[in-house]
Amino acid sequence: MDRIDCAVIGAGVVGLAVARALAMAGREVVILEAESAIGTQTSARNSEVIHAGISYAPGSLKGRLCVAGKAALYAYCAERGIGHRRIGKLIVATQASELPELDRYIALGAANGVTDLRVIGAAEARAMEPEVRCVGALHSPSTGIVDSHGLMLAYLGDAEAHGATLALQSPVLSGDATHDGIVLQVGGDEPSTVLCRTVVNAAGLGAQRVAGAIAGMPAALIPPLYFAVGHYFTLARKSPFHHLVYPTGREGALRAHVTIDLGGQCKFGPDLSWRDGVDYRFDPTREPAFHDAIRRYYPGLRDGDLQPGYTGIRPRLAGPGSSMHNAATDFVVQDERQHGVAGLVNLFGIESPGLTASLAIGEHVRQTLGEARTGAS
């Protein structure tokens, strides 16, 4: 049986950030990834937005780690030459009854330490985005976009430069918490058994399954998993937008945001629906609802402008009817002080803003492991 210091399960953007943080702290790290490449699920199917930290409950892990992660991410991308742009975002109110929502965003952002937000009038919004119709808007200058794959490659490069090893097509089948450490049964072409001093479960959509497969992990402490599906439609012509554009009222099932990638491609989404498992099928019948939602703020959208793009799935901890500000939708970072399994850290519900917060999550896990060891001793 092989013995290793630390296994990080999952090579998405968060798992790689955790592996990087631990390897750079001098830990021996092996990254176990079930798929044949890094970042093939949630990390590859998102909007690639660097979020400002506006929309999260004050004091939540999402809010704290998003704001810290945003600052770290901009600095890291600049230092490493990773594609990114601080293009800013407008949250637009299309009718007077929505204007108070802009002030609520200001207050929520301030509670999370975001101090560069400002409400602007319709004329200034129109000067920034001539195609957008609104009665007022909130300008968030620190929102941006990033090349998520380039970011993941950089994280992996840092981890490997500090001795970490990536094992692809190495699914974790089961585990057992013992007095000597956590024994993992790893499948793939060359199945193996490894004894780990530390295990970080960063398996994303598979995190609950992995936790449930470790004997000794209390089942009652594994939160439910809801598969939140978001559709993205692309604009079949040159983007008329220069900023990200979000309508107010983000709690609804259809959140037809404007996002722009580094190549200039404009897409709208995501909406919100629910499925019973990992299912990336695209439902083209959602297009009429997208048209109606987008034309609230972009009346220039023409019939035939939208093309099916892709779907992404978020690992939500609260299902239909839950508010995004509900405590049940916060990130969960769980260590032995909660579940009693020495050396195990579970990451549950790492959805948006996981990419933005990834460096901060990596540092938080590193600190959590240190605190758990200190508490255990």
Side-chain angles (χ1 to χ4, degrees), residues 323-359:
S323 165
M324 65 186 298
H325 302 307
N326 189 306
T329 64
D330 198 10
F331 294 158
V332 172
V333 179
Q334 196 185 72
D335 63 60
E336 64 183 277
R337 291 169 293 182
Q338 289 84 48
H339 53 56
V341 180
L344 175 64
V345 174
N346 290 315
L347 305 183
F348 296 124
I350 310 296
E351 51 165 335
S352 179
L355 187 153
T356 303
S358 53
L359 285 169

PDB file of all heavy atoms in Angstrom, residues 323-359:
ATOM      1  N   SER A 323     -33.612  30.688  -1.596  1.00  0.00           N
ATOM      2  CA  SER A 323     -32.999  31.961  -1.948  1.00  0.00           C
ATOM      3  C   SER A 323     -31.494  31.806  -2.050  1.00  0.00           C
ATOM      4  O   SER A 323     -30.871  31.058  -1.290  1.00  0.00           O
ATOM      5  CB  SER A 323     -33.331  33.016  -0.885  1.00  0.00           C
ATOM      6  OG  SER A 323     -32.492  34.133  -1.014  1.00  0.00           O
ATOM      7  N   MET A 324     -30.890  32.543  -2.984  1.00  0.00           N
ATOM      8  CA  MET A 324     -29.438  32.488  -3.119  1.00  0.00           C
ATOM      9  C   MET A 324     -28.745  33.100  -1.905  1.00  0.00           C
ATOM     10  O   MET A 324     -27.557  32.888  -1.679  1.00  0.00           O
ATOM     11  CB  MET A 324     -28.985  33.198  -4.394  1.00  0.00           C
ATOM     12  CG  MET A 324     -29.243  34.681  -4.419  1.00  0.00           C
ATOM     13  SD  MET A 324     -28.851  35.420  -6.015  1.00  0.00           S
ATOM     14  CE  MET A 324     -27.126  35.082  -6.132  1.00  0.00           C
ATOM     15  N   HIS A 325     -29.481  33.882  -1.093  1.00  0.00           N
ATOM     16  CA  HIS A 325     -28.908  34.478   0.104  1.00  0.00           C
ATOM     17  C   HIS A 325     -29.128  33.600   1.337  1.00  0.00           C
ATOM     18  O   HIS A 325     -28.706  33.946   2.428  1.00  0.00           O
ATOM     19  CB  HIS A 325     -29.517  35.856   0.351  1.00  0.00           C
ATOM     20  CG  HIS A 325     -29.329  36.801  -0.797  1.00  0.00           C
ATOM     21  ND1 HIS A 325     -28.103  37.061  -1.342  1.00  0.00           N
ATOM     22  CD2 HIS A 325     -30.212  37.541  -1.512  1.00  0.00           C
ATOM     23  CE1 HIS A 325     -28.223  37.936  -2.334  1.00  0.00           C
ATOM     24  NE2 HIS A 325     -29.500  38.232  -2.459  1.00  0.00           N
ATOM     25  N   ASN A 326     -29.801  32.462   1.153  1.00  0.00           N
ATOM     26  CA  ASN A 326     -30.051  31.545   2.255  1.00  0.00           C
ATOM     27  C   ASN A 326     -28.735  30.942   2.735  1.00  0.00           C
ATOM     28  O   ASN A 326     -27.858  30.603   1.938  1.00  0.00           O
ATOM     29  CB  ASN A 326     -31.000  30.429   1.766  1.00  0.00           C
ATOM     30  CG  ASN A 326     -31.493  29.555   2.887  1.00  0.00           C
ATOM     31  OD1 ASN A 326     -30.700  29.016   3.642  1.00  0.00           O
ATOM     32  ND2 ASN A 326     -32.803  29.404   2.983  1.00  0.00           N
ATOM     33  N   ALA A 327     -28.598  30.796   4.048  1.00  0.00           N
ATOM     34  CA  ALA A 327     -27.360  30.237   4.597  1.00  0.00           C
ATOM     35  C   ALA A 327     -27.084  28.842   4.058  1.00  0.00           C
ATOM     36  O   ALA A 327     -25.925  28.421   3.969  1.00  0.00           O
ATOM     37  CB  ALA A 327     -27.438  30.204   6.131  1.00  0.00           C
ATOM     38  N   ALA A 328     -28.129  28.120   3.670  1.00  0.00           N
ATOM     39  CA  ALA A 328     -27.953  26.759   3.156  1.00  0.00           C
ATOM     40  C   ALA A 328     -27.263  26.732   1.810  1.00  0.00           C
ATOM     41  O   ALA A 328     -26.862  25.662   1.340  1.00  0.00           O
ATOM     42  CB  ALA A 328     -29.305  26.058   3.051  1.00  0.00           C
ATOM     43  N   THR A 329     -27.137  27.893   1.145  1.00  0.00           N
ATOM     44  CA  THR A 329     -26.466  27.922  -0.153  1.00  0.00           C
ATOM     45  C   THR A 329     -25.024  28.402  -0.042  1.00  0.00           C
ATOM     46  O   THR A 329     -24.361  28.605  -1.040  1.00  0.00           O
ATOM     47  CB  THR A 329     -27.216  28.827  -1.146  1.00  0.00           C
ATOM     48  OG1 THR A 329     -27.180  30.177  -0.670  1.00  0.00           O
ATOM     49  CG2 THR A 329     -28.655  28.394  -1.312  1.00  0.00           C
ATOM     50  N   ASP A 330     -24.510  28.577   1.171  1.00  0.00           N
ATOM     51  CA  ASP A 330     -23.130  29.017   1.340  1.00  0.00           C
ATOM     52  C   ASP A 330     -22.176  27.857   1.080  1.00  0.00           C
ATOM     53  O   ASP A 330     -22.558  26.676   1.119  1.00  0.00           O
ATOM     54  CB  ASP A 330     -22.930  29.554   2.766  1.00  0.00           C
ATOM     55  CG  ASP A 330     -21.680  30.415   2.906  1.00  0.00           C
ATOM     56  OD1 ASP A 330     -21.066  30.769   1.873  1.00  0.00           O
ATOM     57  OD2 ASP A 330     -21.315  30.741   4.055  1.00  0.00           O
ATOM     58  N   PHE A 331     -20.898  28.189   0.813  1.00  0.00           N
ATOM     59  CA  PHE A 331     -19.865  27.169   0.753  1.00  0.00           C
ATOM     60  C   PHE A 331     -19.801  26.444   2.100  1.00  0.00           C
ATOM     61  O   PHE A 331     -19.997  27.049   3.162  1.00  0.00           O
ATOM     62  CB  PHE A 331     -18.484  27.792   0.514  1.00  0.00           C
ATOM     63  CG  PHE A 331     -18.288  28.456  -0.823  1.00  0.00           C
ATOM     64  CD1 PHE A 331     -17.296  29.415  -0.972  1.00  0.00           C
ATOM     65  CD2 PHE A 331     -19.049  28.120  -1.925  1.00  0.00           C
ATOM     66  CE1 PHE A 331     -17.074  30.037  -2.193  1.00  0.00           C
ATOM     67  CE2 PHE A 331     -18.839  28.731  -3.154  1.00  0.00           C
ATOM     68  CZ  PHE A 331     -17.840  29.693  -3.287  1.00  0.00           C
ATOM     69  N   VAL A 332     -19.492  25.160   2.055  1.00  0.00           N
ATOM     70  CA  VAL A 332     -19.253  24.389   3.278  1.00  0.00           C
ATOM     71  C   VAL A 332     -17.840  23.824   3.209  1.00  0.00           C
ATOM     72  O   VAL A 332     -17.501  23.075   2.291  1.00  0.00           O
ATOM     73  CB  VAL A 332     -20.272  23.249   3.438  1.00  0.00           C
ATOM     74  CG1 VAL A 332     -19.879  22.332   4.604  1.00  0.00           C
ATOM     75  CG2 VAL A 332     -21.674  23.808   3.655  1.00  0.00           C
ATOM     76  N   VAL A 333     -17.003  24.215   4.159  1.00  0.00           N
ATOM     77  CA  VAL A 333     -15.652  23.663   4.316  1.00  0.00           C
ATOM     78  C   VAL A 333     -15.645  22.948   5.660  1.00  0.00           C
ATOM     79  O   VAL A 333     -15.704  23.573   6.709  1.00  0.00           O
ATOM     80  CB  VAL A 333     -14.578  24.764   4.266  1.00  0.00           C
ATOM     81  CG1 VAL A 333     -13.192  24.154   4.446  1.00  0.00           C
ATOM     82  CG2 VAL A 333     -14.653  25.530   2.947  1.00  0.00           C
ATOM     83  N   GLN A 334     -15.586  21.645   5.603  1.00  0.00           N
ATOM     84  CA  GLN A 334     -15.862  20.806   6.776  1.00  0.00           C
ATOM     85  C   GLN A 334     -14.612  20.008   7.127  1.00  0.00           C
ATOM     86  O   GLN A 334     -14.056  19.315   6.270  1.00  0.00           O
ATOM     87  CB  GLN A 334     -17.017  19.867   6.394  1.00  0.00           C
ATOM     88  CG  GLN A 334     -17.748  19.171   7.487  1.00  0.00           C
ATOM     89  CD  GLN A 334     -18.760  18.220   6.888  1.00  0.00           C
ATOM     90  OE1 GLN A 334     -18.419  17.178   6.333  1.00  0.00           O
ATOM     91  NE2 GLN A 334     -20.027  18.577   6.954  1.00  0.00           N
ATOM     92  N   ASP A 335     -14.162  20.091   8.380  1.00  0.00           N
ATOM     93  CA  ASP A 335     -12.966  19.353   8.789  1.00  0.00           C
ATOM     94  C   ASP A 335     -13.277  18.473  10.001  1.00  0.00           C
ATOM     95  O   ASP A 335     -14.430  18.356  10.411  1.00  0.00           O
ATOM     96  CB  ASP A 335     -11.804  20.309   9.055  1.00  0.00           C
ATOM     97  CG  ASP A 335     -12.077  21.260  10.211  1.00  0.00           C
ATOM     98  OD1 ASP A 335     -12.300  20.772  11.342  1.00  0.00           O
ATOM     99  OD2 ASP A 335     -12.068  22.494  10.004  1.00  0.00           O
ATOM    100  N   GLU A 336     -12.244  17.899  10.578  1.00  0.00           N
ATOM    101  CA  GLU A 336     -12.448  16.910  11.633  1.00  0.00           C
ATOM    102  C   GLU A 336     -13.109  17.491  12.871  1.00  0.00           C
ATOM    103  O   GLU A 336     -13.699  16.762  13.667  1.00  0.00           O
ATOM    104  CB  GLU A 336     -11.122  16.246  12.021  1.00  0.00           C
ATOM    105  CG  GLU A 336     -10.092  17.184  12.638  1.00  0.00           C
ATOM    106  CD  GLU A 336      -8.784  16.461  12.931  1.00  0.00           C
ATOM    107  OE1 GLU A 336      -8.700  15.813  14.005  1.00  0.00           O
ATOM    108  OE2 GLU A 336      -7.862  16.538  12.107  1.00  0.00           O
ATOM    109  N   ARG A 337     -13.045  18.808  13.045  1.00  0.00           N
ATOM    110  CA  ARG A 337     -13.723  19.418  14.187  1.00  0.00           C
ATOM    111  C   ARG A 337     -15.229  19.312  14.050  1.00  0.00           C
ATOM    112  O   ARG A 337     -15.953  19.364  15.045  1.00  0.00           O
ATOM    113  CB  ARG A 337     -13.292  20.881  14.321  1.00  0.00           C
ATOM    114  CG  ARG A 337     -11.844  21.051  14.742  1.00  0.00           C
ATOM    115  CD  ARG A 337     -11.377  22.490  14.617  1.00  0.00           C
ATOM    116  NE  ARG A 337     -11.332  22.930  13.230  1.00  0.00           N
ATOM    117  CZ  ARG A 337     -10.927  24.145  12.838  1.00  0.00           C
ATOM    118  NH1 ARG A 337     -10.556  25.030  13.758  1.00  0.00           N
ATOM    119  NH2 ARG A 337     -10.900  24.476  11.560  1.00  0.00           N
ATOM    120  N   GLN A 338     -15.734  19.152  12.836  1.00  0.00           N
ATOM    121  CA  GLN A 338     -17.166  18.952  12.614  1.00  0.00           C
ATOM    122  C   GLN A 338     -17.525  17.468  12.511  1.00  0.00           C
ATOM    123  O   GLN A 338     -18.489  17.012  13.119  1.00  0.00           O
ATOM    124  CB  GLN A 338     -17.628  19.672  11.346  1.00  0.00           C
ATOM    125  CG  GLN A 338     -17.669  21.185  11.440  1.00  0.00           C
ATOM    126  CD  GLN A 338     -16.310  21.810  11.162  1.00  0.00           C
ATOM    127  OE1 GLN A 338     -15.663  21.473  10.188  1.00  0.00           O
ATOM    128  NE2 GLN A 338     -15.907  22.727  12.011  1.00  0.00           N
ATOM    129  N   HIS A 339     -16.747  16.711  11.732  1.00  0.00           N
ATOM    130  CA  HIS A 339     -17.156  15.321  11.448  1.00  0.00           C
ATOM    131  C   HIS A 339     -16.350  14.256  12.182  1.00  0.00           C
ATOM    132  O   HIS A 339     -16.712  13.084  12.169  1.00  0.00           O
ATOM    133  CB  HIS A 339     -17.133  15.034   9.941  1.00  0.00           C
ATOM    134  CG  HIS A 339     -15.831  15.367   9.259  1.00  0.00           C
ATOM    135  ND1 HIS A 339     -14.622  14.850   9.643  1.00  0.00           N
ATOM    136  CD2 HIS A 339     -15.577  16.172   8.193  1.00  0.00           C
ATOM    137  CE1 HIS A 339     -13.670  15.296   8.848  1.00  0.00           C
ATOM    138  NE2 HIS A 339     -14.217  16.116   7.963  1.00  0.00           N
ATOM    139  N   GLY A 340     -15.236  14.638  12.799  1.00  0.00           N
ATOM    140  CA  GLY A 340     -14.487  13.691  13.613  1.00  0.00           C
ATOM    141  C   GLY A 340     -13.503  12.817  12.881  1.00  0.00           C
ATOM    142  O   GLY A 340     -12.834  11.990  13.512  1.00  0.00           O
ATOM    143  N   VAL A 341     -13.374  12.962  11.551  1.00  0.00           N
ATOM    144  CA  VAL A 341     -12.438  12.136  10.781  1.00  0.00           C
ATOM    145  C   VAL A 341     -11.128  12.907  10.626  1.00  0.00           C
ATOM    146  O   VAL A 341     -11.060  13.889   9.887  1.00  0.00           O
ATOM    147  CB  VAL A 341     -13.008  11.770   9.399  1.00  0.00           C
ATOM    148  CG1 VAL A 341     -12.007  10.914   8.623  1.00  0.00           C
ATOM    149  CG2 VAL A 341     -14.335  11.033   9.549  1.00  0.00           C
ATOM    150  N   ALA A 342     -10.093  12.457  11.313  1.00  0.00           N
ATOM    151  CA  ALA A 342      -8.814  13.157  11.302  1.00  0.00           C
ATOM    152  C   ALA A 342      -8.259  13.224   9.884  1.00  0.00           C
ATOM    153  O   ALA A 342      -8.221  12.217   9.160  1.00  0.00           O
ATOM    154  CB  ALA A 342      -7.825  12.458  12.221  1.00  0.00           C
ATOM    155  N   GLY A 343      -7.845  14.432   9.482  1.00  0.00           N
ATOM    156  CA  GLY A 343      -7.181  14.601   8.197  1.00  0.00           C
ATOM    157  C   GLY A 343      -8.090  14.809   7.010  1.00  0.00           C
ATOM    158  O   GLY A 343      -7.606  15.029   5.898  1.00  0.00           O
ATOM    159  N   LEU A 344      -9.409  14.768   7.201  1.00  0.00           N
ATOM    160  CA  LEU A 344     -10.350  14.895   6.084  1.00  0.00           C
ATOM    161  C   LEU A 344     -10.965  16.289   6.050  1.00  0.00           C
ATOM    162  O   LEU A 344     -11.501  16.766   7.048  1.00  0.00           O
ATOM    163  CB  LEU A 344     -11.463  13.853   6.204  1.00  0.00           C
ATOM    164  CG  LEU A 344     -12.590  13.946   5.153  1.00  0.00           C
ATOM    165  CD1 LEU A 344     -12.061  13.686   3.739  1.00  0.00           C
ATOM    166  CD2 LEU A 344     -13.721  12.971   5.487  1.00  0.00           C
ATOM    167  N   VAL A 345     -10.893  16.927   4.881  1.00  0.00           N
ATOM    168  CA  VAL A 345     -11.594  18.182   4.647  1.00  0.00           C
ATOM    169  C   VAL A 345     -12.533  17.979   3.462  1.00  0.00           C
ATOM    170  O   VAL A 345     -12.099  17.572   2.378  1.00  0.00           O
ATOM    171  CB  VAL A 345     -10.626  19.345   4.343  1.00  0.00           C
ATOM    172  CG1 VAL A 345     -11.398  20.608   3.955  1.00  0.00           C
ATOM    173  CG2 VAL A 345      -9.737  19.629   5.550  1.00  0.00           C
ATOM    174  N   ASN A 346     -13.803  18.224   3.690  1.00  0.00           N
ATOM    175  CA  ASN A 346     -14.806  18.147   2.624  1.00  0.00           C
ATOM    176  C   ASN A 346     -15.182  19.547   2.157  1.00  0.00           C
ATOM    177  O   ASN A 346     -15.446  20.431   2.981  1.00  0.00           O
ATOM    178  CB  ASN A 346     -16.083  17.452   3.128  1.00  0.00           C
ATOM    179  CG  ASN A 346     -15.902  15.975   3.373  1.00  0.00           C
ATOM    180  OD1 ASN A 346     -15.320  15.263   2.557  1.00  0.00           O
ATOM    181  ND2 ASN A 346     -16.384  15.506   4.519  1.00  0.00           N
ATOM    182  N   LEU A 347     -15.233  19.740   0.849  1.00  0.00           N
ATOM    183  CA  LEU A 347     -15.724  20.978   0.263  1.00  0.00           C
ATOM    184  C   LEU A 347     -17.051  20.680  -0.420  1.00  0.00           C
ATOM    185  O   LEU A 347     -17.092  19.967  -1.426  1.00  0.00           O
ATOM    186  CB  LEU A 347     -14.730  21.538  -0.763  1.00  0.00           C
ATOM    187  CG  LEU A 347     -13.292  21.768  -0.290  1.00  0.00           C
ATOM    188  CD1 LEU A 347     -12.473  22.403  -1.411  1.00  0.00           C
ATOM    189  CD2 LEU A 347     -13.252  22.640   0.950  1.00  0.00           C
ATOM    190  N   PHE A 348     -18.127  21.239   0.131  1.00  0.00           N
ATOM    191  CA  PHE A 348     -19.463  21.019  -0.426  1.00  0.00           C
ATOM    192  C   PHE A 348     -20.037  22.337  -0.945  1.00  0.00           C
ATOM    193  O   PHE A 348     -19.804  23.403  -0.371  1.00  0.00           O
ATOM    194  CB  PHE A 348     -20.415  20.462   0.637  1.00  0.00           C
ATOM    195  CG  PHE A 348     -20.056  19.101   1.169  1.00  0.00           C
ATOM    196  CD1 PHE A 348     -19.864  18.904   2.538  1.00  0.00           C
ATOM    197  CD2 PHE A 348     -19.926  18.014   0.320  1.00  0.00           C
ATOM    198  CE1 PHE A 348     -19.555  17.653   3.038  1.00  0.00           C
ATOM    199  CE2 PHE A 348     -19.600  16.753   0.814  1.00  0.00           C
ATOM    200  CZ  PHE A 348     -19.422  16.573   2.180  1.00  0.00           C
ATOM    201  N   GLY A 349     -20.803  22.241  -2.021  1.00  0.00           N
ATOM    202  CA  GLY A 349     -21.521  23.408  -2.525  1.00  0.00           C
ATOM    203  C   GLY A 349     -20.611  24.475  -3.093  1.00  0.00           C
ATOM    204  O   GLY A 349     -20.947  25.664  -3.048  1.00  0.00           O
ATOM    205  N   ILE A 350     -19.492  24.078  -3.679  1.00  0.00           N
ATOM    206  CA  ILE A 350     -18.558  25.073  -4.232  1.00  0.00           C
ATOM    207  C   ILE A 350     -19.007  25.407  -5.659  1.00  0.00           C
ATOM    208  O   ILE A 350     -18.516  24.859  -6.641  1.00  0.00           O
ATOM    209  CB  ILE A 350     -17.101  24.577  -4.194  1.00  0.00           C
ATOM    210  CG1 ILE A 350     -16.764  24.050  -2.797  1.00  0.00           C
ATOM    211  CG2 ILE A 350     -16.176  25.717  -4.588  1.00  0.00           C
ATOM    212  CD1 ILE A 350     -16.803  25.077  -1.694  1.00  0.00           C
ATOM    213  N   GLU A 351     -19.985  26.272  -5.724  1.00  0.00           N
ATOM    214  CA  GLU A 351     -20.500  26.765  -7.007  1.00  0.00           C
ATOM    215  C   GLU A 351     -19.973  28.185  -7.184  1.00  0.00           C
ATOM    216  O   GLU A 351     -18.968  28.569  -6.591  1.00  0.00           O
ATOM    217  CB  GLU A 351     -22.029  26.717  -6.984  1.00  0.00           C
ATOM    218  CG  GLU A 351     -22.641  27.386  -5.756  1.00  0.00           C
ATOM    219  CD  GLU A 351     -24.117  27.665  -5.906  1.00  0.00           C
ATOM    220  OE1 GLU A 351     -24.594  27.799  -7.044  1.00  0.00           O
ATOM    221  OE2 GLU A 351     -24.801  27.785  -4.878  1.00  0.00           O
ATOM    222  N   SER A 352     -20.641  29.002  -8.001  1.00  0.00           N
ATOM    223  CA  SER A 352     -20.258  30.397  -8.124  1.00  0.00           C
ATOM    224  C   SER A 352     -20.335  31.071  -6.746  1.00  0.00           C
ATOM    225  O   SER A 352     -21.293  30.818  -6.003  1.00  0.00           O
ATOM    226  CB  SER A 352     -21.205  31.103  -9.093  1.00  0.00           C
ATOM    227  OG  SER A 352     -20.879  32.459  -9.229  1.00  0.00           O
ATOM    228  N   PRO A 353     -19.315  31.836  -6.341  1.00  0.00           N
ATOM    229  CA  PRO A 353     -18.162  32.332  -7.080  1.00  0.00           C
ATOM    230  C   PRO A 353     -16.887  31.509  -6.868  1.00  0.00           C
ATOM    231  O   PRO A 353     -15.817  32.077  -6.563  1.00  0.00           O
ATOM    232  CB  PRO A 353     -17.995  33.736  -6.504  1.00  0.00           C
ATOM    233  CG  PRO A 353     -18.338  33.542  -5.036  1.00  0.00           C
ATOM    234  CD  PRO A 353     -19.435  32.498  -5.015  1.00  0.00           C
ATOM    235  N   GLY A 354     -16.973  30.207  -7.044  1.00  0.00           N
ATOM    236  CA  GLY A 354     -15.833  29.348  -6.764  1.00  0.00           C
ATOM    237  C   GLY A 354     -14.603  29.689  -7.586  1.00  0.00           C
ATOM    238  O   GLY A 354     -13.478  29.666  -7.073  1.00  0.00           O
ATOM    239  N   LEU A 355     -14.777  29.990  -8.866  1.00  0.00           N
ATOM    240  CA  LEU A 355     -13.637  30.340  -9.702  1.00  0.00           C
ATOM    241  C   LEU A 355     -12.981  31.617  -9.191  1.00  0.00           C
ATOM    242  O   LEU A 355     -11.761  31.674  -9.009  1.00  0.00           O
ATOM    243  CB  LEU A 355     -14.079  30.492 -11.160  1.00  0.00           C
ATOM    244  CG  LEU A 355     -12.999  30.709 -12.221  1.00  0.00           C
ATOM    245  CD1 LEU A 355     -13.475  30.183 -13.571  1.00  0.00           C
ATOM    246  CD2 LEU A 355     -12.632  32.174 -12.363  1.00  0.00           C
ATOM    247  N   THR A 356     -13.777  32.653  -8.950  1.00  0.00           N
ATOM    248  CA  THR A 356     -13.244  33.916  -8.429  1.00  0.00           C
ATOM    249  C   THR A 356     -12.523  33.699  -7.109  1.00  0.00           C
ATOM    250  O   THR A 356     -11.449  34.269  -6.863  1.00  0.00           O
ATOM    251  CB  THR A 356     -14.375  34.927  -8.215  1.00  0.00           C
ATOM    252  OG1 THR A 356     -15.078  35.127  -9.444  1.00  0.00           O
ATOM    253  CG2 THR A 356     -13.845  36.262  -7.717  1.00  0.00           C
ATOM    254  N   ALA A 357     -13.104  32.877  -6.261  1.00  0.00           N
ATOM    255  CA  ALA A 357     -12.592  32.682  -4.899  1.00  0.00           C
ATOM    256  C   ALA A 357     -11.510  31.620  -4.809  1.00  0.00           C
ATOM    257  O   ALA A 357     -11.009  31.362  -3.711  1.00  0.00           O
ATOM    258  CB  ALA A 357     -13.756  32.300  -3.976  1.00  0.00           C
ATOM    259  N   SER A 358     -11.116  31.015  -5.923  1.00  0.00           N
ATOM    260  CA  SER A 358     -10.306  29.796  -5.877  1.00  0.00           C
ATOM    261  C   SER A 358      -9.002  29.959  -5.100  1.00  0.00           C
ATOM    262  O   SER A 358      -8.656  29.086  -4.279  1.00  0.00           O
ATOM    263  CB  SER A 358     -10.035  29.283  -7.297  1.00  0.00           C
ATOM    264  OG  SER A 358      -9.476  30.293  -8.117  1.00  0.00           O
ATOM    265  N   LEU A 359      -8.255  31.037  -5.316  1.00  0.00           N
ATOM    266  CA  LEU A 359      -7.010  31.215  -4.562  1.00  0.00           C
ATOM    267  C   LEU A 359      -7.295  31.364  -3.073  1.00  0.00           C
ATOM    268  O   LEU A 359      -6.561  30.829  -2.228  1.00  0.00           O
ATOM    269  CB  LEU A 359      -6.252  32.434  -5.085  1.00  0.00           C
ATOM    270  CG  LEU A 359      -5.535  32.262  -6.426  1.00  0.00           C
ATOM    271  CD1 LEU A 359      -5.054  33.609  -6.942  1.00  0.00           C
ATOM    272  CD2 LEU A 359      -4.376  31.277  -6.314  1.00  0.00           C
TER     273      LEU A 359
END
